[in-house]
Amino acid sequence: MDKPKQELTIHRAEFVGLIAMMFASIAFSIDAMLPALPEISRELSPELAHRAPLILTAFVFGMGAGTLVTGALSDAFGRRPVIFGGVVLYIIGAMAAWASQSLEAMLVARVFQGLGASGPRVVAIAVVRDLFSGRDMAKIVSFVMLVFTLVPALAPIMGSLIIELSDWRGIYLAFVAFSAISVIWMAIRLPETLRSEDRRPLRLRLLLDAIREIMTHRTVRLAIIVQVMAMAMFFCTLMLIQPVYAQVYGRAETFPYWFGAVAVIAGTSSILNALLVERLGMRRLVRLTLFGQILLSGFMYFSGLASAGGVLGFGAFLFWQLCLFAQAGLTLGNLNAIAMEPMGHMAGMAASVIGSVSTILAALIASPVALMFADDVSLLFGSVLLMACAAWGLMLLLTRSEVDLAAPAE
């Protein structure tokens, strides 16, 4: 018989707001930096301006690495210490980035900032799980994600406003303030949610065994690689989106508003996924989405429509960007669920390993693509096309291997 859940000591609406704020720090830390990339490159890396988007993947890389251990640490030492420790590391990283006098120093600081951000990101869900279960947990997470989807739309606008009022370094001070408010709010209002008797000792052997089992399971391994490709497509686009708007289409001034509008519309793809997944199934929906991306990116690459610029070219790119952002809502959750299906006996550890591996590899794939950008949007279309083709082929292989395994032995 399951132990009763801890009782929530604050109002549900306040709890949703607190958890959503912890989640929002991730999107804020990435998307608010987009308008600052040109100024940072001019000040810290004028001769190699194309390296500025690495500021985004450095953060993602650190966050992915932290994801591997923060869940296990919170199971051993409690939720609050890991969240507090993560926030302290995040603030140190943000202040180091604020004081950076070179791009290399900032990239190192951003890795540490990402490591710190992984604490609230991973442990916030564990806090929800400590307090709720079943449909109640699903409702809370749904409300949290609803609030969370607004942040990517608003973050670039907020970043632009901060730059106008101060400069790009002011964004890092905003990160510090945002994170400090969330952790002080939690410290005052939300007590520890993991009972002492429910804590589990930290064992490296269990983590290594989990990694070995995950990587040797064919379905899980293929699903992770497809997830890596899907995330890399998104990261490539995110890293190059500001330079494309500014250098290809001459819309640097209005970039935050276009980005925000696309993010809001694309955010509804999660609702569309919930409607379609029951009819089509996870695997078929992912295959269809990836095949659609192949057709669209192939058309954009070979037609040269978007590369020509102008109003028509910009409109075509805007539609492609919307579809690419919406693709995340139609694939990533399903791919994660496919990978987790055979891992029910070690769900918590598997979630950490899968999330960490997929995030780190996607960042490593996206970074070289961003470094090759030279005012030609066809590089982005071609890269996404290749990754979509690879992901679609792997999904076919995954489905075929599952059919073979399910077939009775002769």
PDB file of all heavy atoms in Angstrom, residues 372-394:
ATOM      1  N   MET A 372      29.009  27.504 -38.222  1.00  0.00           N
ATOM      2  CA  MET A 372      29.213  27.567 -39.674  1.00  0.00           C
ATOM      3  C   MET A 372      28.326  28.610 -40.356  1.00  0.00           C
ATOM      4  O   MET A 372      28.439  28.841 -41.549  1.00  0.00           O
ATOM      5  CB  MET A 372      28.959  26.194 -40.300  1.00  0.00           C
ATOM      6  CG  MET A 372      30.005  25.153 -39.954  1.00  0.00           C
ATOM      7  SD  MET A 372      29.769  23.607 -40.885  1.00  0.00           S
ATOM      8  CE  MET A 372      28.263  22.981 -40.125  1.00  0.00           C
ATOM      9  N   PHE A 373      27.439  29.251 -39.602  1.00  0.00           N
ATOM     10  CA  PHE A 373      26.499  30.202 -40.210  1.00  0.00           C
ATOM     11  C   PHE A 373      27.235  31.402 -40.796  1.00  0.00           C
ATOM     12  O   PHE A 373      28.102  31.983 -40.166  1.00  0.00           O
ATOM     13  CB  PHE A 373      25.498  30.678 -39.153  1.00  0.00           C
ATOM     14  CG  PHE A 373      24.502  31.678 -39.679  1.00  0.00           C
ATOM     15  CD1 PHE A 373      23.500  31.283 -40.540  1.00  0.00           C
ATOM     16  CD2 PHE A 373      24.594  33.014 -39.318  1.00  0.00           C
ATOM     17  CE1 PHE A 373      22.577  32.201 -41.017  1.00  0.00           C
ATOM     18  CE2 PHE A 373      23.681  33.940 -39.788  1.00  0.00           C
ATOM     19  CZ  PHE A 373      22.669  33.525 -40.643  1.00  0.00           C
ATOM     20  N   ALA A 374      26.859  31.753 -42.032  1.00  0.00           N
ATOM     21  CA  ALA A 374      27.492  32.885 -42.713  1.00  0.00           C
ATOM     22  C   ALA A 374      26.454  33.639 -43.534  1.00  0.00           C
ATOM     23  O   ALA A 374      26.562  33.729 -44.759  1.00  0.00           O
ATOM     24  CB  ALA A 374      28.633  32.414 -43.591  1.00  0.00           C
ATOM     25  N   ASP A 375      25.446  34.159 -42.873  1.00  0.00           N
ATOM     26  CA  ASP A 375      24.411  34.977 -43.510  1.00  0.00           C
ATOM     27  C   ASP A 375      23.624  34.223 -44.581  1.00  0.00           C
ATOM     28  O   ASP A 375      23.075  34.829 -45.500  1.00  0.00           O
ATOM     29  CB  ASP A 375      25.014  36.237 -44.138  1.00  0.00           C
ATOM     30  CG  ASP A 375      25.723  37.102 -43.109  1.00  0.00           C
ATOM     31  OD1 ASP A 375      25.507  36.867 -41.908  1.00  0.00           O
ATOM     32  OD2 ASP A 375      26.499  37.992 -43.507  1.00  0.00           O
ATOM     33  N   ASP A 376      23.577  32.901 -44.483  1.00  0.00           N
ATOM     34  CA  ASP A 376      22.856  32.102 -45.469  1.00  0.00           C
ATOM     35  C   ASP A 376      21.933  31.136 -44.737  1.00  0.00           C
ATOM     36  O   ASP A 376      22.398  30.194 -44.093  1.00  0.00           O
ATOM     37  CB  ASP A 376      23.831  31.336 -46.356  1.00  0.00           C
ATOM     38  CG  ASP A 376      23.124  30.594 -47.491  1.00  0.00           C
ATOM     39  OD1 ASP A 376      21.889  30.718 -47.595  1.00  0.00           O
ATOM     40  OD2 ASP A 376      23.813  29.893 -48.251  1.00  0.00           O
ATOM     41  N   VAL A 377      20.631  31.392 -44.838  1.00  0.00           N
ATOM     42  CA  VAL A 377      19.661  30.592 -44.092  1.00  0.00           C
ATOM     43  C   VAL A 377      19.559  29.167 -44.625  1.00  0.00           C
ATOM     44  O   VAL A 377      19.032  28.277 -43.949  1.00  0.00           O
ATOM     45  CB  VAL A 377      18.283  31.293 -44.120  1.00  0.00           C
ATOM     46  CG1 VAL A 377      17.633  31.168 -45.492  1.00  0.00           C
ATOM     47  CG2 VAL A 377      17.371  30.748 -43.040  1.00  0.00           C
ATOM     48  N   SER A 378      20.073  28.911 -45.819  1.00  0.00           N
ATOM     49  CA  SER A 378      19.997  27.563 -46.380  1.00  0.00           C
ATOM     50  C   SER A 378      20.780  26.564 -45.532  1.00  0.00           C
ATOM     51  O   SER A 378      20.470  25.368 -45.529  1.00  0.00           O
ATOM     52  CB  SER A 378      20.514  27.547 -47.823  1.00  0.00           C
ATOM     53  OG  SER A 378      21.874  27.923 -47.878  1.00  0.00           O
ATOM     54  N   LEU A 379      21.814  27.027 -44.800  1.00  0.00           N
ATOM     55  CA  LEU A 379      22.543  26.140 -43.891  1.00  0.00           C
ATOM     56  C   LEU A 379      21.609  25.563 -42.837  1.00  0.00           C
ATOM     57  O   LEU A 379      21.659  24.363 -42.523  1.00  0.00           O
ATOM     58  CB  LEU A 379      23.682  26.902 -43.204  1.00  0.00           C
ATOM     59  CG  LEU A 379      24.369  26.163 -42.037  1.00  0.00           C
ATOM     60  CD1 LEU A 379      25.153  24.970 -42.546  1.00  0.00           C
ATOM     61  CD2 LEU A 379      25.266  27.102 -41.243  1.00  0.00           C
ATOM     62  N   LEU A 380      20.737  26.397 -42.291  1.00  0.00           N
ATOM     63  CA  LEU A 380      19.793  25.948 -41.280  1.00  0.00           C
ATOM     64  C   LEU A 380      18.809  24.946 -41.869  1.00  0.00           C
ATOM     65  O   LEU A 380      18.555  23.886 -41.285  1.00  0.00           O
ATOM     66  CB  LEU A 380      19.042  27.149 -40.691  1.00  0.00           C
ATOM     67  CG  LEU A 380      17.992  26.862 -39.615  1.00  0.00           C
ATOM     68  CD1 LEU A 380      18.599  26.095 -38.451  1.00  0.00           C
ATOM     69  CD2 LEU A 380      17.357  28.155 -39.129  1.00  0.00           C
ATOM     70  N   PHE A 381      18.256  25.262 -43.050  1.00  0.00           N
ATOM     71  CA  PHE A 381      17.306  24.338 -43.684  1.00  0.00           C
ATOM     72  C   PHE A 381      17.969  23.000 -43.994  1.00  0.00           C
ATOM     73  O   PHE A 381      17.396  21.935 -43.755  1.00  0.00           O
ATOM     74  CB  PHE A 381      16.754  24.941 -44.975  1.00  0.00           C
ATOM     75  CG  PHE A 381      15.963  26.202 -44.778  1.00  0.00           C
ATOM     76  CD1 PHE A 381      16.046  27.238 -45.693  1.00  0.00           C
ATOM     77  CD2 PHE A 381      15.138  26.368 -43.682  1.00  0.00           C
ATOM     78  CE1 PHE A 381      15.319  28.405 -45.524  1.00  0.00           C
ATOM     79  CE2 PHE A 381      14.413  27.524 -43.491  1.00  0.00           C
ATOM     80  CZ  PHE A 381      14.502  28.550 -44.425  1.00  0.00           C
ATOM     81  N   GLY A 382      19.179  23.049 -44.544  1.00  0.00           N
ATOM     82  CA  GLY A 382      19.877  21.814 -44.899  1.00  0.00           C
ATOM     83  C   GLY A 382      20.200  20.964 -43.683  1.00  0.00           C
ATOM     84  O   GLY A 382      20.060  19.737 -43.716  1.00  0.00           O
ATOM     85  N   SER A 383      20.623  21.605 -42.590  1.00  0.00           N
ATOM     86  CA  SER A 383      20.952  20.871 -41.367  1.00  0.00           C
ATOM     87  C   SER A 383      19.719  20.197 -40.779  1.00  0.00           C
ATOM     88  O   SER A 383      19.761  19.020 -40.393  1.00  0.00           O
ATOM     89  CB  SER A 383      21.576  21.826 -40.341  1.00  0.00           C
ATOM     90  OG  SER A 383      22.744  22.421 -40.842  1.00  0.00           O
ATOM     91  N   VAL A 384      18.626  20.949 -40.713  1.00  0.00           N
ATOM     92  CA  VAL A 384      17.384  20.378 -40.187  1.00  0.00           C
ATOM     93  C   VAL A 384      16.890  19.252 -41.094  1.00  0.00           C
ATOM     94  O   VAL A 384      16.404  18.222 -40.612  1.00  0.00           O
ATOM     95  CB  VAL A 384      16.310  21.478 -40.028  1.00  0.00           C
ATOM     96  CG1 VAL A 384      14.947  20.868 -39.717  1.00  0.00           C
ATOM     97  CG2 VAL A 384      16.709  22.453 -38.927  1.00  0.00           C
ATOM     98  N   LEU A 385      17.024  19.417 -42.397  1.00  0.00           N
ATOM     99  CA  LEU A 385      16.610  18.375 -43.337  1.00  0.00           C
ATOM    100  C   LEU A 385      17.376  17.077 -43.088  1.00  0.00           C
ATOM    101  O   LEU A 385      16.782  15.989 -43.037  1.00  0.00           O
ATOM    102  CB  LEU A 385      16.830  18.860 -44.775  1.00  0.00           C
ATOM    103  CG  LEU A 385      16.568  17.841 -45.896  1.00  0.00           C
ATOM    104  CD1 LEU A 385      15.119  17.369 -45.865  1.00  0.00           C
ATOM    105  CD2 LEU A 385      16.922  18.445 -47.252  1.00  0.00           C
ATOM    106  N   LEU A 386      18.691  17.169 -42.945  1.00  0.00           N
ATOM    107  CA  LEU A 386      19.502  15.970 -42.700  1.00  0.00           C
ATOM    108  C   LEU A 386      19.120  15.296 -41.387  1.00  0.00           C
ATOM    109  O   LEU A 386      19.004  14.067 -41.315  1.00  0.00           O
ATOM    110  CB  LEU A 386      20.980  16.339 -42.696  1.00  0.00           C
ATOM    111  CG  LEU A 386      21.588  16.738 -44.043  1.00  0.00           C
ATOM    112  CD1 LEU A 386      23.029  17.189 -43.858  1.00  0.00           C
ATOM    113  CD2 LEU A 386      21.508  15.590 -45.037  1.00  0.00           C
ATOM    114  N   MET A 387      18.928  16.102 -40.330  1.00  0.00           N
ATOM    115  CA  MET A 387      18.571  15.532 -39.028  1.00  0.00           C
ATOM    116  C   MET A 387      17.175  14.925 -39.048  1.00  0.00           C
ATOM    117  O   MET A 387      16.933  13.877 -38.437  1.00  0.00           O
ATOM    118  CB  MET A 387      18.694  16.600 -37.943  1.00  0.00           C
ATOM    119  CG  MET A 387      20.121  16.919 -37.567  1.00  0.00           C
ATOM    120  SD  MET A 387      20.269  18.089 -36.210  1.00  0.00           S
ATOM    121  CE  MET A 387      20.203  19.635 -37.096  1.00  0.00           C
ATOM    122  N   ALA A 388      16.243  15.552 -39.767  1.00  0.00           N
ATOM    123  CA  ALA A 388      14.892  15.005 -39.870  1.00  0.00           C
ATOM    124  C   ALA A 388      14.900  13.678 -40.624  1.00  0.00           C
ATOM    125  O   ALA A 388      14.187  12.732 -40.243  1.00  0.00           O
ATOM    126  CB  ALA A 388      13.974  16.005 -40.559  1.00  0.00           C
ATOM    127  N   CYS A 389      15.704  13.601 -41.683  1.00  0.00           N
ATOM    128  CA  CYS A 389      15.810  12.343 -42.432  1.00  0.00           C
ATOM    129  C   CYS A 389      16.385  11.237 -41.549  1.00  0.00           C
ATOM    130  O   CYS A 389      15.879  10.101 -41.545  1.00  0.00           O
ATOM    131  CB  CYS A 389      16.698  12.531 -43.667  1.00  0.00           C
ATOM    132  SG  CYS A 389      15.956  13.498 -44.996  1.00  0.00           S
ATOM    133  N   ALA A 390      17.429  11.556 -40.794  1.00  0.00           N
ATOM    134  CA  ALA A 390      18.033  10.567 -39.897  1.00  0.00           C
ATOM    135  C   ALA A 390      17.035  10.121 -38.832  1.00  0.00           C
ATOM    136  O   ALA A 390      16.907   8.921 -38.547  1.00  0.00           O
ATOM    137  CB  ALA A 390      19.286  11.150 -39.254  1.00  0.00           C
ATOM    138  N   ALA A 391      16.327  11.069 -38.251  1.00  0.00           N
ATOM    139  CA  ALA A 391      15.362  10.741 -37.196  1.00  0.00           C
ATOM    140  C   ALA A 391      14.223   9.897 -37.746  1.00  0.00           C
ATOM    141  O   ALA A 391      13.773   8.929 -37.104  1.00  0.00           O
ATOM    142  CB  ALA A 391      14.820  12.026 -36.579  1.00  0.00           C
ATOM    143  N   TRP A 392      13.724  10.243 -38.918  1.00  0.00           N
ATOM    144  CA  TRP A 392      12.617   9.484 -39.529  1.00  0.00           C
ATOM    145  C   TRP A 392      13.067   8.053 -39.844  1.00  0.00           C
ATOM    146  O   TRP A 392      12.342   7.093 -39.580  1.00  0.00           O
ATOM    147  CB  TRP A 392      12.148  10.191 -40.796  1.00  0.00           C
ATOM    148  CG  TRP A 392      10.987   9.530 -41.474  1.00  0.00           C
ATOM    149  CD1 TRP A 392       9.692   9.451 -41.025  1.00  0.00           C
ATOM    150  CD2 TRP A 392      11.007   8.838 -42.730  1.00  0.00           C
ATOM    151  NE1 TRP A 392       8.911   8.777 -41.926  1.00  0.00           N
ATOM    152  CE2 TRP A 392       9.689   8.389 -42.977  1.00  0.00           C
ATOM    153  CE3 TRP A 392      12.001   8.578 -43.671  1.00  0.00           C
ATOM    154  CZ2 TRP A 392       9.348   7.671 -44.136  1.00  0.00           C
ATOM    155  CZ3 TRP A 392      11.672   7.875 -44.816  1.00  0.00           C
ATOM    156  CH2 TRP A 392      10.356   7.429 -45.036  1.00  0.00           C
ATOM    157  N   GLY A 393      14.267   7.904 -40.402  1.00  0.00           N
ATOM    158  CA  GLY A 393      14.773   6.567 -40.690  1.00  0.00           C
ATOM    159  C   GLY A 393      14.932   5.734 -39.432  1.00  0.00           C
ATOM    160  O   GLY A 393      14.614   4.534 -39.419  1.00  0.00           O
ATOM    161  N   LEU A 394      15.413   6.350 -38.361  1.00  0.00           N
ATOM    162  CA  LEU A 394      15.568   5.636 -37.095  1.00  0.00           C
ATOM    163  C   LEU A 394      14.213   5.250 -36.497  1.00  0.00           C
ATOM    164  O   LEU A 394      14.093   4.200 -35.863  1.00  0.00           O
ATOM    165  CB  LEU A 394      16.357   6.496 -36.116  1.00  0.00           C
ATOM    166  CG  LEU A 394      17.848   6.659 -36.433  1.00  0.00           C
ATOM    167  CD1 LEU A 394      18.466   7.743 -35.572  1.00  0.00           C
ATOM    168  CD2 LEU A 394      18.591   5.336 -36.233  1.00  0.00           C
TER     169      LEU A 394
END
